Amino acid sequence: MKAAIIGATGYGGLELLRLLTHHPSITVTSVHSFSQIGEVMTTPYPHLSTFISHTLEEVDVEGIAKEADLVFLATPAGVSANLTPSLLEAGMRVIDLSGDFRIRKPFIYEEWYKKTAAKEEVLQQAVYGLTEWKKSEIATARLIANPGCYATATLLAAAPLVKNGIIEVDSLIIDAKSGVSGAGKTPTSMTHFPEIHDNLYIYKVNEHQHVPEIEQMLQEWDENMKPITFSTHLIPITRGIMVTLYAKVKQEITDVTLQQIYEESYCHSPFVRIREKGVFPSPKEVRGSNFCDIGTAYDKRTGRITIVAVIDNVMKGAAGQAVQNANILAGVEETKNLHFMPLYP
Amino acid sequence: MKAAIIGATGYGGLELLRLLTHHPSITVTSVHSFSQIGEVMTTPYPHLSTFISHTLEEVDVEGIAKEADLVFLATPAGVSANLTPSLLEAGMRVIDLSGDFRIRKPFIYEEWYKKTAAKEEVLQQAVYGLTEWKKSEIATARLIANPGCYATATLLAAAPLVKNGIIEVDSLIIDAKSGVSGAGKTPTSMTHFPEIHDNLYIYKVNEHQHVPEIEQMLQEWDENMKPITFSTHLIPITRGIMVTLYAKVKQEITDVTLQQIYEESYCHSPFVRIREKGVFPSPKEVRGSNFCDIGTAYDKRTGRITIVAVIDNVMKGAAGQAVQNANILAGVEETKNLHFMPLYP
Amino acid sequence: MKAAIIGATGYGGLELLRLLTHHPSITVTSVHSFSQIGEVMTTPYPHLSTFISHTLEEVDVEGIAKEADLVFLATPAGVSANLTPSLLEAGMRVIDLSGDFRIRKPFIYEEWYKKTAAKEEVLQQAVYGLTEWKKSEIATARLIANPGCYATATLLAAAPLVKNGIIEVDSLIIDAKSGVSGAGKTPTSMTHFPEIHDNLYIYKVNEHQHVPEIEQMLQEWDENMKPITFSTHLIPITRGIMVTLYAKVKQEITDVTLQQIYEESYCHSPFVRIREKGVFPSPKEVRGSNFCDIGTAYDKRTGRITIVAVIDNVMKGAAGQAVQNANILAGVEETKNLHFMPLYP
Amino acid sequence: MKAAIIGATGYGGLELLRLLTHHPSITVTSVHSFSQIGEVMTTPYPHLSTFISHTLEEVDVEGIAKEADLVFLATPAGVSANLTPSLLEAGMRVIDLSGDFRIRKPFIYEEWYKKTAAKEEVLQQAVYGLTEWKKSEIATARLIANPGCYATATLLAAAPLVKNGIIEVDSLIIDAKSGVSGAGKTPTSMTHFPEIHDNLYIYKVNEHQHVPEIEQMLQEWDENMKPITFSTHLIPITRGIMVTLYAKVKQEITDVTLQQIYEESYCHSPFVRIREKGVFPSPKEVRGSNFCDIGTAYDKRTGRITIVAVIDNVMKGAAGQAVQNANILAGVEETKNLHFMPLYP
């Protein structure tokens, strides 16, 4: 496959470049930007030297279509809603890393994103690209809405609980922590080093735009699922997300059973690793890789389950999952060029 | 008052030295250690130069009693249980920064601490030193059990909810994050820089030894309160704790009412600052100071309250609260020598 | 004395507020900003709550002069050059934290700052406020040019070498490292957390604007001193500067003699602490305080001296030294309200 | 080739495992440790899960020799001096990541390492594995002394200056900064998070054990080279080294000429990337990769050159260069399995 990347200068776009270098089945034909057209990629990003010699090009749909059959959109919310119809019409497949095609109902998108939603007919074509649970739909998709970083970790952690009807439907609370790269490449007060270093923020409590895509997926799995409580924290690390899920069991369970359910749920998923019972993962154990590592525990005193999932937000939370989905589109193994070890320490 | 510090070389002990320098009513007469006897304090701790000229002395109760009328114990769990009876008999008052006298029932201490509890007759004398809610008992105490760092933040955040009967008694979940200084001064794998830097750990899920002192206090406020779900995280900051409390309301409430309850609860507490409704504090906003800053929110969709409290674990979570309690013992304003600004940024 | 602060919302201005709170001889009468006029200080800076109730005011020289007799200018380069003449005419004393009045020769200022210099007649009135070496001139100054952060550390480290003619005049190399707060409060790509965290930059090699004030002072001490080699690094800490000086001795020396020269040079300087011979300080040992700690070593193999000095750039490198100078202006002890311990750890 | 790793649980050993996973020409047959024999690697290192299923074995030379033809020694100083002779006798090739075989003269090793040197006849066999400058000798070596991390960066930066006789032979000063992983995996006070976080240390000034291997190589290139001034700093990053070299030119040069010399020196070195003239690299631009990136500048005012080189200390400074050398031993391209991009951000 031949792929173009639109939004190549953000953290997601740069990571796509890393993952597609030396990829045996997918070649990057061109890279595009709205603001830095004509710039050689290695000038602002010298770490790319000897790998990448592209110059940033403008976004010209016809031109792109001449060379590419797949487009990665690593653009801010609102951009792909406008751009995608013409890309699809030009016959290309699209993997959109933004939130524009994740929410099926336009009014819900507009409520949480405070932006105009994509057209409903295009929304209907989109497949939600949570690879582990949507593989067959992804294989034939023309438009893949790559899940949000928080949503990916949360849904992979919640799926076994919800699909197996283990927890009370109104009891799910998620306390999520993210590294600062998740906030993107644009400097802000909140991401200014002297402010966030040696500090952490809780933000968008119950207002984060990943809430609706999580609830939509949970309700697809169990229509009785109720709204979730969802807190997000910015912590002073660069990459990595940890989500901690708290939920009340419907009926008494053992930690052994709980553990088995998780192991079985993901026994065919090469990128989900279940820790031993009672052992919890940390983000550094997946850094730079496409893994989602999960730990489980059940507390008898309270009847509550605690599930912890970690991912690298730039990888499984964005570019890694996008390439995993592209591999499926390309008809190759989902692990192709992605099966490498975390960078530790 | 004249004070001795036992365990002066830990982070808590060193902070006591900072806070008692230039204190108008409390003078440090001697500093004691078990392992570094004879060493001049400024050799390992050059930051003390020009302030401190003490040499570390052995722990000799009679000798201490000749000079001091107050002893701060900044020692690991298990030490003060043994040492305190003789200090009390020698006529001194004791402020214990460890957990040894916080739990009233010996068997509960032994279950959570895996150590032999202090004698019950000494335990009975101990006053739990959560200053904001125990001021009158502290004033006349001979033995003060200074609260744990996590417990201080959690209880100050929970008190208005529990004392006013706002939340379901079995619904309280606390997701707590602490800086690494909370783990003490002894190097371990978990606190080794390459491991915890750019990383975070969840640890002691539902097993942290601060759980019983929190539950004991909650049940003193409302005997119907049920066991809590309590998670602790080590995050890559030096000082600072953030606790996030999630709880279900008994009946619909407004965020305005919730806010008022918090403002009224602490209107006479000089070290508790309530943020505006819906605004949450971050640890850097209290660093180096004795403040506990609190933010509140109510989510109609789920009927859940989110409360966030931040403290500096070495200050309000340890030495700061100890000096606040010592001020009350000494009959001076609780803010004496403690009313200074956080260090920002 | 009554003082106004112009530029109160930057890191230097905020630190002035911290240091002047509870100051027995200097009261802050008003705080001023160019961009946030009318805003209550505690809204963007909740850490100030319960201490500060000021609202940011516009810069109205006449109005300021009615209340204040001293003005602190904590503004970017170029602002005070314009503003200072009218402040002086209105009868106030001025302490300028920017570089506008540090360089005596306008053409040198213009070469390094790429800005128009202040008027020469005003420049002539300025006293370079390196407190330890300019105390008597500061006492009677109307305009104090508070030294740059790098310059303060470098000059305090170099003075004993240069004033005693110990080193070859063309051999001085300074490798300086600064925390990110030194870059100010405005977010940039370089200070964006994902870029500088877990990283460091070398920047402005031999082009930093503190070079000319360092060379000017060195030549005042020894007119034969030649241009210096000066490198600056941004390192992932918030506060703190370390400068390492390398220089060739004119003739063989012993480390004992070298050490004595430093101890004697600063035996009357309450904020300069000389470590034991061969022991080097680290920035955390002075954090939040006004100290400059210095370590010395002589290497026989190469005939080179290594001197290391550390300061807190926001304190001794900016606001702390400014208050130290204000104390001298006010005729009180230079340590007034400044003699507190570093925040460790 | 079949390789055994002795010392597989340190940071160097773990990185060897990462680099040899999926390596087409080198297979890891066994992993060995002195202290954790019998432990499954993934228990302490869950990030290895799904890649590594080895159990740590004792160090049994005969047993190792049955399976392996190459041994990587990632052990502390002193271990390989004893172990290597028997490994060589058993017919295996050895790549030693410690300092034991880097210094040709035993008395110099003993002076700087304060340990007994390896036997002289074994020392004579060792090839100093600075790949870029020793390729042909490495190809036929039986024992490779893999260079130290600081030494690698310093020598790659210094080579063009020294080999081309550009600088005064007694003028070389190196100010080196390293991430904390360079100090190894054993927790110490200096690497305890609350101490080094938000801080930096200068240590072993002119006493670092990498000095003699640097001077030995410099003198091999130019026998007139004099002792160097060498300072090392521990900075709060996990991986990465930056070395800054200062040196006086023998005669006037232009920055263009200087730049050309560097570009020509490394035009055939796939892992050395020269930045544009006057542009300096940062450690994050090589993190996780085997690159050494170099920037150059010449300052007319002082006649001094500034050269900056960055590497990832665990990669080009240890395991990466070891695998690069192993590739040459194995007769495959030096970039085999090593030519991947840095992890940014």
Side-chain angles (χ1 to χ4, degrees):
Chain A
M1 279 184 114
K2 291 180 174 172
I5 300 173
I6 300 180
T9 62
Y11 292 142
L14 289 164
E15 193 76 341
L16 285 170
L17 281 173
R18 180 170 81 99
L19 300 175
L20 296 175
T21 295
H22 306 324
H23 195 295
S25 323
I26 304 172
T27 308
V28 176
T29 50
S30 58
V31 297
H32 305 266
S33 160
F34 291 94
S35 58
Q36 294 165 272
I37 296 161
E39 188 153 27
V40 176
M41 280 296 283
T42 50
T43 305
Y45 302 110
H47 74 281
L48 300 176
S49 300
T50 75
F51 294 95
I52 301 291
S53 53
H54 289 101
T55 297
L56 286 160
E57 300 174 30
E58 64 175 338
V59 179
D60 158 26
V61 173
E62 281 182 41
I64 295 173
K66 279 182 194 149
E67 294 195 324
D69 36 32
L70 173 63
V71 176
F72 291 96
L73 285 164
T75 46
V79 174
S80 43
N82 289 321
L83 202 55
T84 298
S86 58
L87 294 168
L88 293 173
E89 274 162 39
M92 291 177 280
R93 289 179 172 195
V94 172
I95 298 181
D96 177 26
L97 279 74
S98 86
D100 283 7
F101 294 99
R102 295 179 197 151
I103 312 296
R104 234 168 283 129
K105 297 187 181 151
F107 79 93
I108 296 186
Y109 176 91
E110 297 184 346
E111 191 184 321
W112 289 84
Y113 281 80
K114 320 286 179 208
K115 280 180 195 293
T116 307
K119 285 180 205 148
E120 197 147 8
E121 65 266 27
V122 189
L123 278 178
Q124 298 318 322
Q125 300 179 42
V127 170
Y128 188 67
L130 185 68
T131 330
E132 280 66 22
W133 295 102
K134 292 283 186 183
K135 214 170 293 182
S136 59
E137 290 163 74
I138 289 166
T140 59
R142 296 195 54 229
L143 168 56
I144 295 173
N146 216 55
C149 50
Y150 284 123
T152 297
T154 300
L155 289 169
L156 291 175
L161 298 180
V162 175
K163 294 177 80 90
N164 293 285
I166 293 167
I167 57 169
E168 296 283 358
V169 294
D170 67 346
S171 75
L172 187 57
I173 293 175
I174 298 121
D175 189 284
K177 296 97 179 164
S178 173
V180 185
S181 62
K185 230 179 65 72
T186 307
T188 64
S189 286
M190 207 168 163
T191 62
H192 188 46
F193 184 89
E195 304 292 324
I196 176 66
H197 173 67
D198 214 25
N199 201 10
L200 75 155
Y201 293 109
I202 184 168
Y203 70 107
K204 289 194 188 171
V205 173
N206 294 318
E207 291 174 3
H208 197 283
Q209 69 275 13
H210 290 179
V211 168
E213 69 181 274
I214 295 170
E215 293 184 347
Q216 174 180 283
M217 191 74 246
L218 294 176
Q219 281 159 9
E220 193 179 312
W221 289 334
D222 176 351
E223 60 182 4
N224 297 315
M225 282 299 291
K226 294 280 177 296
I228 57 173
T229 289
F230 189 73
S231 289
T232 44
H233 302 76
L234 209 57
I235 54 167
I237 72 174
T238 296
R239 286 168 175 247
I241 280 179
M242 178 185 283
V243 294
T244 307
L245 277 64
Y246 302 102
K248 191 113 191 153
V249 293
K250 277 188 192 149
Q251 51 187 70
E252 187 84 5
I253 194 174
T254 69
D255 50 7
V256 173
T257 306
L258 181 66
Q259 178 72 9
Q260 282 173 345
I261 290 169
Y262 272 79
E263 289 176 358
E264 283 162 21
S265 297
Y266 291 112
C267 63
H268 299 301
S269 297
F271 288 121
V272 181
R273 305 187 296 191
I274 310 298
R275 287 280 181 290
E276 285 174 38
K277 175 170 73 70
V279 175
F280 295 103
S282 72
K284 196 169 269 195
E285 290 160 13
V286 299
R287 190 173 48 175
S289 82
N290 202 45
F291 292 100
C292 175
D293 286 10
I294 299 178
T296 72
Y298 173 65
D299 182 39
K300 273 194 225 175
R301 293 171 77 242
T302 55
R304 280 207 195 87
I305 283 171
T306 302
I307 306 292
V308 175
V310 297
I311 59 169
D312 180 325
N313 55 299
V314 190
M315 286 290 301
K316 184 64 183 168
Q321 187 156 240
V323 172
Q324 189 181 358
N325 288 332
N327 282 337
I328 292 173
L329 277 187
V332 301
E333 281 172 84
E334 63 182 301
T335 55
K336 189 63 77 188
N337 225 39
L338 277 179
H339 194 247
F340 48 79
M341 242 186 233
L343 187 71
Y344 166 89
Chain B
M1 279 184 115
K2 289 177 177 176
I5 300 172
I6 299 180
T9 63
Y11 292 142
L14 288 164
E15 192 76 341
L16 285 171
L17 281 172
R18 180 170 82 100
L19 299 176
L20 296 176
T21 295
H22 306 325
H23 195 293
S25 321
I26 304 172
T27 309
V28 176
T29 50
S30 58
V31 297
H32 305 266
S33 160
F34 291 93
S35 59
Q36 293 165 272
I37 296 160
E39 187 153 27
V40 176
M41 282 294 284
T42 50
T43 304
Y45 302 109
H47 74 281
L48 300 176
S49 299
T50 74
F51 294 95
I52 300 291
S53 53
H54 289 103
T55 297
L56 286 160
E57 300 174 30
E58 64 175 339
V59 179
D60 158 25
V61 173
E62 281 182 42
I64 295 173
K66 279 183 195 148
E67 293 196 323
D69 36 32
L70 173 63
V71 175
F72 291 96
L73 284 164
T75 47
V79 174
S80 43
N82 289 322
L83 201 57
T84 299
S86 57
L87 293 168
L88 293 173
E89 275 163 36
M92 291 178 282
R93 289 180 170 192
V94 172
I95 297 179
D96 178 28
L97 278 75
S98 87
D100 283 7
F101 294 100
R102 294 179 197 152
I103 314 295
R104 234 169 281 127
K105 296 186 182 153
F107 80 94
I108 295 184
Y109 175 91
E110 297 183 346
E111 192 184 319
W112 291 82
Y113 281 80
K114 320 287 179 205
K115 280 181 194 292
T116 308
K119 286 179 205 149
E120 196 147 7
E121 63 266 26
V122 189
L123 278 178
Q124 298 319 320
Q125 299 178 43
V127 170
Y128 188 67
L130 185 69
T131 329
E132 279 66 22
W133 296 102
K134 292 284 186 181
K135 215 171 289 184
S136 59
E137 291 163 73
I138 289 166
T140 59
R142 295 194 54 228
L143 169 56
I144 295 172
N146 216 55
C149 50
Y150 283 123
T152 297
T154 301
L155 289 169
L156 291 176
L161 298 180
V162 175
K163 295 177 80 91
N164 293 286
I166 293 166
I167 58 170
E168 295 284 357
V169 294
D170 67 345
S171 74
L172 187 57
I173 293 175
I174 299 122
D175 189 284
K177 296 96 178 165
S178 174
V180 185
S181 62
K185 230 178 65 73
T186 305
T188 64
S189 287
M190 206 169 164
T191 61
H192 188 45
F193 184 89
E195 303 292 326
I196 176 66
H197 174 67
D198 214 24
N199 201 10
L200 76 155
Y201 293 110
I202 183 169
Y203 71 107
K204 288 194 188 173
V205 173
N206 293 319
E207 291 174 3
H208 197 284
Q209 67 276 11
H210 290 179
V211 168
E213 69 181 276
I214 294 170
E215 293 185 346
Q216 174 180 280
M217 191 73 245
L218 293 176
Q219 282 160 9
E220 195 180 307
W221 288 334
D222 176 351
E223 61 183 2
N224 297 316
M225 282 299 292
K226 295 280 178 294
I228 57 174
T229 288
F230 190 73
S231 290
T232 45
H233 302 76
L234 209 57
I235 53 167
I237 71 173
T238 296
R239 287 168 174 244
I241 281 180
M242 178 186 282
V243 295
T244 307
L245 278 65
Y246 302 102
K248 191 110 190 157
V249 292
K250 277 186 192 152
Q251 51 188 68
E252 186 83 5
I253 195 174
T254 69
D255 51 7
V256 173
T257 306
L258 180 67
Q259 178 72 8
Q260 281 173 344
I261 289 168
Y262 272 80
E263 288 176 359
E264 282 162 21
S265 296
Y266 290 112
C267 62
H268 299 300
S269 297
F271 289 120
V272 181
R273 303 187 295 192
I274 310 298
R275 286 282 180 290
E276 283 175 39
K277 176 171 69 73
V279 175
F280 294 104
S282 72
K284 195 167 271 196
E285 290 160 11
V286 299
R287 189 173 51 174
S289 82
N290 202 45
F291 292 100
C292 175
D293 286 8
I294 298 177
T296 72
Y298 173 66
D299 181 40
K300 272 193 224 174
R301 291 171 78 243
T302 56
R304 282 208 194 86
I305 283 170
T306 302
I307 306 291
V308 174
V310 298
I311 58 169
D312 179 325
N313 56 299
V314 190
M315 287 290 302
K316 184 63 184 171
Q321 188 156 239
V323 171
Q324 189 182 359
N325 288 332
N327 282 337
I328 293 173
L329 277 186
V332 300
E333 281 172 84
E334 64 182 301
T335 55
K336 187 66 77 186
N337 226 39
L338 277 178
H339 194 248
F340 47 78
M341 243 185 232
L343 187 70
Y344 167 89
Chain C
M1 280 184 113
K2 290 180 175 174
I5 299 172
I6 299 179
T9 62
Y11 292 144
L14 288 164
E15 193 76 340
L16 286 170
L17 281 174
R18 180 171 81 100
L19 299 175
L20 296 175
T21 295
H22 305 325
H23 195 294
S25 322
I26 305 172
T27 309
V28 176
T29 50
S30 59
V31 296
H32 304 268
S33 160
F34 290 95
S35 58
Q36 294 165 274
I37 297 161
E39 188 154 24
V40 176
M41 281 295 285
T42 50
T43 304
Y45 302 110
H47 75 280
L48 300 175
S49 300
T50 76
F51 294 95
I52 300 291
S53 52
H54 290 101
T55 297
L56 285 159
E57 300 174 29
E58 63 176 338
V59 180
D60 159 25
V61 174
E62 280 181 42
I64 295 173
K66 278 182 196 149
E67 293 195 324
D69 36 33
L70 173 64
V71 175
F72 291 96
L73 285 164
T75 46
V79 174
S80 42
N82 289 321
L83 201 55
T84 299
S86 57
L87 294 168
L88 293 173
E89 274 163 38
M92 291 178 280
R93 290 179 169 193
V94 172
I95 298 180
D96 177 26
L97 279 76
S98 86
D100 282 6
F101 295 99
R102 295 180 197 152
I103 313 296
R104 235 168 283 129
K105 296 185 183 154
F107 80 93
I108 296 186
Y109 176 91
E110 296 183 347
E111 192 184 319
W112 291 82
Y113 281 80
K114 320 285 179 207
K115 279 180 195 293
T116 308
K119 286 178 205 150
E120 197 146 7
E121 63 267 27
V122 189
L123 278 178
Q124 298 319 320
Q125 299 179 43
V127 170
Y128 188 66
L130 186 68
T131 329
E132 280 66 23
W133 297 102
K134 293 283 187 183
K135 213 170 293 183
S136 58
E137 290 163 73
I138 290 167
T140 59
R142 295 194 54 227
L143 169 56
I144 295 173
N146 215 55
C149 50
Y150 284 123
T152 297
T154 300
L155 290 169
L156 291 176
L161 298 179
V162 175
K163 294 176 81 91
N164 293 285
I166 293 167
I167 57 169
E168 296 284 359
V169 295
D170 67 345
S171 74
L172 187 57
I173 294 175
I174 298 121
D175 190 284
K177 296 97 179 164
S178 173
V180 184
S181 62
K185 230 178 65 73
T186 306
T188 65
S189 286
M190 207 169 164
T191 61
H192 188 45
F193 185 88
E195 303 292 326
I196 176 65
H197 173 67
D198 215 25
N199 201 9
L200 76 156
Y201 293 109
I202 185 169
Y203 70 107
K204 289 194 188 173
V205 173
N206 294 318
E207 292 174 3
H208 197 282
Q209 69 276 12
H210 289 180
V211 168
E213 68 180 277
I214 295 171
E215 293 184 347
Q216 174 180 281
M217 191 75 245
L218 293 177
Q219 281 160 9
E220 193 179 310
W221 288 334
D222 176 351
E223 59 182 4
N224 298 314
M225 283 298 292
K226 295 278 176 300
I228 57 173
T229 289
F230 190 74
S231 289
T232 44
H233 301 76
L234 209 57
I235 53 167
I237 71 173
T238 297
R239 286 169 174 245
I241 280 179
M242 178 186 282
V243 295
T244 307
L245 277 64
Y246 303 102
K248 192 112 189 155
V249 292
K250 277 187 192 152
Q251 52 187 69
E252 187 85 4
I253 195 174
T254 68
D255 52 5
V256 173
T257 306
L258 180 66
Q259 178 72 9
Q260 281 172 346
I261 290 168
Y262 272 81
E263 289 176 358
E264 282 162 22
S265 296
Y266 291 112
C267 63
H268 299 302
S269 296
F271 288 121
V272 180
R273 304 187 295 191
I274 310 299
R275 286 282 181 288
E276 285 175 38
K277 176 170 70 72
V279 175
F280 294 104
S282 71
K284 197 169 269 196
E285 290 160 14
V286 300
R287 188 173 51 176
S289 81
N290 201 46
F291 291 101
C292 175
D293 286 10
I294 298 178
T296 73
Y298 173 66
D299 182 38
K300 273 193 226 174
R301 294 171 77 241
T302 55
R304 280 208 196 85
I305 282 170
T306 302
I307 306 292
V308 175
V310 298
I311 59 169
D312 180 326
N313 56 299
V314 191
M315 286 290 301
K316 184 64 184 168
Q321 188 157 240
V323 171
Q324 190 182 356
N325 288 333
N327 282 337
I328 292 173
L329 277 187
V332 300
E333 282 172 84
E334 64 182 300
T335 55
K336 188 64 76 188
N337 225 40
L338 277 178
H339 194 247
F340 47 78
M341 243 186 233
L343 188 70
Y344 166 89
Chain D
M1 281 184 112
K2 289 179 176 177
I5 299 172
I6 300 181
T9 63
Y11 293 142
L14 289 164
E15 192 76 340
L16 286 170
L17 282 172
R18 179 169 82 101
L19 299 175
L20 296 176
T21 295
H22 305 325
H23 195 294
S25 322
I26 305 172
T27 308
V28 176
T29 51
S30 59
V31 296
H32 305 266
S33 159
F34 291 93
S35 59
Q36 293 165 271
I37 296 160
E39 188 153 25
V40 176
M41 280 295 284
T42 50
T43 305
Y45 302 110
H47 74 281
L48 301 175
S49 300
T50 75
F51 295 94
I52 300 293
S53 53
H54 290 101
T55 296
L56 285 159
E57 299 175 31
E58 63 176 340
V59 178
D60 159 25
V61 173
E62 282 182 42
I64 294 173
K66 280 183 196 149
E67 295 195 322
D69 35 32
L70 173 64
V71 175
F72 290 96
L73 284 164
T75 47
V79 173
S80 43
N82 289 320
L83 201 56
T84 298
S86 58
L87 294 168
L88 293 173
E89 274 162 39
M92 291 177 281
R93 290 181 170 191
V94 172
I95 298 180
D96 178 27
L97 279 75
S98 86
D100 283 7
F101 295 99
R102 294 178 198 152
I103 314 294
R104 236 169 280 127
K105 298 189 182 151
F107 80 95
I108 295 184
Y109 176 90
E110 297 184 347
E111 193 184 317
W112 290 83
Y113 282 80
K114 319 287 178 204
K115 279 180 195 291
T116 307
K119 286 180 205 149
E120 196 146 7
E121 63 267 26
V122 189
L123 278 178
Q124 299 318 321
Q125 300 179 42
V127 170
Y128 188 67
L130 186 67
T131 329
E132 279 66 23
W133 295 102
K134 293 281 187 184
K135 214 170 292 183
S136 60
E137 291 164 72
I138 289 165
T140 59
R142 296 194 53 227
L143 169 56
I144 295 172
N146 215 56
C149 49
Y150 283 124
T152 297
T154 300
L155 289 169
L156 292 176
L161 298 180
V162 175
K163 295 177 82 91
N164 293 288
I166 293 166
I167 57 169
E168 296 284 358
V169 294
D170 67 346
S171 75
L172 187 57
I173 294 175
I174 299 121
D175 190 284
K177 297 97 179 162
S178 173
V180 185
S181 62
K185 231 180 63 74
T186 307
T188 64
S189 287
M190 208 168 161
T191 60
H192 187 45
F193 184 88
E195 303 292 326
I196 176 65
H197 173 67
D198 214 24
N199 201 9
L200 75 156
Y201 293 109
I202 183 169
Y203 71 106
K204 289 195 189 173
V205 173
N206 294 318
E207 292 174 2
H208 197 282
Q209 68 275 10
H210 290 178
V211 168
E213 69 181 277
I214 295 170
E215 293 184 348
Q216 173 181 280
M217 192 72 245
L218 293 177
Q219 282 160 10
E220 195 180 308
W221 289 333
D222 176 351
E223 60 183 3
N224 297 314
M225 283 298 292
K226 295 280 177 296
I228 57 173
T229 290
F230 191 73
S231 289
T232 44
H233 302 76
L234 209 58
I235 53 167
I237 72 174
T238 295
R239 288 167 174 246
I241 280 180
M242 179 187 283
V243 295
T244 308
L245 277 64
Y246 302 102
K248 191 111 189 155
V249 291
K250 277 187 191 149
Q251 51 188 68
E252 187 83 4
I253 195 174
T254 68
D255 51 5
V256 173
T257 306
L258 180 67
Q259 178 71 9
Q260 282 173 345
I261 290 168
Y262 272 80
E263 288 176 0
E264 282 163 22
S265 296
Y266 291 113
C267 63
H268 299 301
S269 297
F271 289 121
V272 181
R273 303 186 296 192
I274 310 298
R275 285 283 179 288
E276 284 174 39
K277 177 169 68 73
V279 175
F280 295 104
S282 72
K284 195 168 272 194
E285 290 161 12
V286 299
R287 190 173 51 175
S289 82
N290 201 46
F291 292 100
C292 176
D293 286 10
I294 298 178
T296 72
Y298 172 66
D299 182 38
K300 275 193 222 172
R301 293 171 76 240
T302 55
R304 281 208 195 86
I305 282 170
T306 302
I307 306 291
V308 174
V310 298
I311 59 169
D312 180 324
N313 56 299
V314 190
M315 287 291 299
K316 183 64 184 168
Q321 188 157 237
V323 172
Q324 189 182 358
N325 288 332
N327 282 337
I328 292 173
L329 277 187
V332 300
E333 281 171 85
E334 63 183 301
T335 54
K336 188 64 75 187
N337 225 38
L338 277 179
H339 195 247
F340 47 78
M341 242 186 234
L343 187 71
Y344 166 88

